[in-house]
Amino acid sequence: MSVTTQIKDRVAQITLDNPDKRNAFDDTIIASLTEAFEKAGNDDSVRIVVLQATGKHFSAGADLNWMRAMGKLDAQQNRDDALKLARLMQAIDQCPKPVIARVQGAAFGGALGLICAADMAVAADNARFCLSEVKLGIVPAVISPYVVRAMGARQANRYFMTAEVIPASKAVALGLAHEVVPESELDEAVNSLITALLSAGPRAQIEARNLIARVSDGSIDQSMLNDTADLIARLRTGEEGQEGLSAFLEKRTANWI
């Protein structure tokens, strides 16, 4: 199996497990990852999803043999194939559970899309990122909404065009990772995020993600004021909000912990 899922202590670990090919992905792996995220998102026993990889590298991006085969197909077939990758990115981005990307070694091409579609990313200090598509005469089209959202249009102009390798030391400043740690401390950093996430209301976390998406590009007008007021009123009076407030006032543990 090139993709495995293990669920333990409310955490689903979805693992790219093809280290001999540096975890490069093809249409089969894309389908397996999509299915894994959809299953984890719909599993009531899962609170958090961690996307990770075995071996020295997170992922070298698209498998070259697969890309060679795609190059021999017509435009419509390539479009249909690209939509499968788009569906995977959306499955990660819209997963109804927080998603953490755990990154080591190379994260090239489409792999950067997987990372940027996740809610948060922790990278080892040996991680290297690259939007390498222009070297092949193509562009990172399907992953672009997530990468540009993470790093911003100005930085994307540079790295989409130059295909420079980005060292881990620059990853946080560019928005590609939230934290960079020595590789020996990578699991500890991921576990720290898991602990923090498990202490918060699961519905509130997804509402927070949706809120950010709505307000990040919107005008601060009366419509936005109404929308945010409606949201907090709904959550305050909802079951999870009532439980969280009661637990705080009664100095007890909330029922989701």
Side-chain angles (χ1 to χ4, degrees):
M1 291 291 290
S2 297
V3 176
T4 64
T5 301
Q6 180 180 15
I7 298 173
K8 183 180 179 181
D9 297 330
R10 296 183 290 174
V11 178
Q13 294 179 322
I14 298 176
T15 305
L16 284 163
D17 189 15
N18 192 18
D20 290 343
K21 289 191 174 183
R22 299 199 302 168
N23 294 310
F25 52 80
D26 56 18
D27 53 345
T28 301
I29 293 175
I30 288 170
S32 296
L33 279 173
T34 303
E35 181 181 8
F37 270 93
E38 290 176 346
K39 283 186 176 180
N42 291 321
D43 189 335
D44 291 338
S45 71
V46 172
R47 278 286 316 272
I48 297 161
V49 179
V50 176
L51 176 61
Q52 58 187 16
T54 58
K56 294 182 179 180
H57 303 289
F58 180 77
S59 174
D63 181 85
L64 292 179
N65 289 327
W66 172 54
M67 291 187 67
R68 185 179 294 113
M70 289 299 101
K72 296 178 181 179
L73 301 180
D74 63 29
Q76 183 59 51
Q77 289 170 313
N78 270 273
R79 183 180 187 276
D80 293 341
D81 183 75
L83 283 172
K84 295 175 184 177
L85 179 60
R87 180 184 169 205
L88 168 58
M89 297 298 161
Q90 188 177 48
I92 298 172
D93 179 60
Q94 297 298 315
C95 182
K97 313 290 168 65
V99 179
I100 303 169
R102 178 193 183 280
V103 185
Q104 81 280 6
F108 282 24
L112 204 48
L114 303 178
I115 295 164
C116 293
D119 293 300
M120 54 203 78
V122 178
D125 54 6
N126 65 4
R128 308 188 312 279
F129 306 86
C130 183
L131 293 151
S132 53
E133 286 83 353
V134 291
K135 288 188 175 181
L136 302 175
I138 57 177
V139 296
V142 173
I143 68 172
S144 63
Y146 311 99
V147 178
V148 173
R149 180 180 65 187
M151 70 189 318
R154 183 64 170 168
Q155 297 291 357
N157 278 342
R158 172 176 174 173
Y159 292 103
F160 276 34
M161 292 182 181
T162 65
E164 294 169 85
V165 174
I166 303 167
S169 58
K170 286 188 177 180
V172 174
L174 291 174
L176 300 177
H178 290 82
E179 188 175 359
V180 173
V181 299
E183 186 174 18
S184 61
E185 299 175 14
L186 194 53
D187 287 331
E188 181 182 348
V190 171
N191 289 335
S192 179
L193 286 176
I194 289 171
T195 298
L197 288 166
L198 288 174
S199 71
R203 181 178 297 276
Q205 287 170 334
I206 301 307
E207 291 283 3
R209 177 205 286 158
N210 295 337
L211 173 65
I212 293 164
R214 292 198 301 274
V215 305
S216 58
D217 294 322
S219 300
I220 305 177
D221 54 17
Q222 191 60 48
S223 177
M224 182 175 287
L225 300 183
N226 292 339
D227 181 51
T228 53
D230 289 344
L231 174 61
I232 193 61
R234 175 166 59 81
L235 295 182
R236 281 175 180 168
T237 57
E239 181 178 345
E240 187 172 284
Q242 288 287 299
E243 167 62 15
L245 180 60
S246 296
F248 177 76
L249 294 175
E250 296 165 14
K251 298 182 180 180
R252 61 174 174 81
T253 301
N255 62 12
W256 58 73
I257 298 176

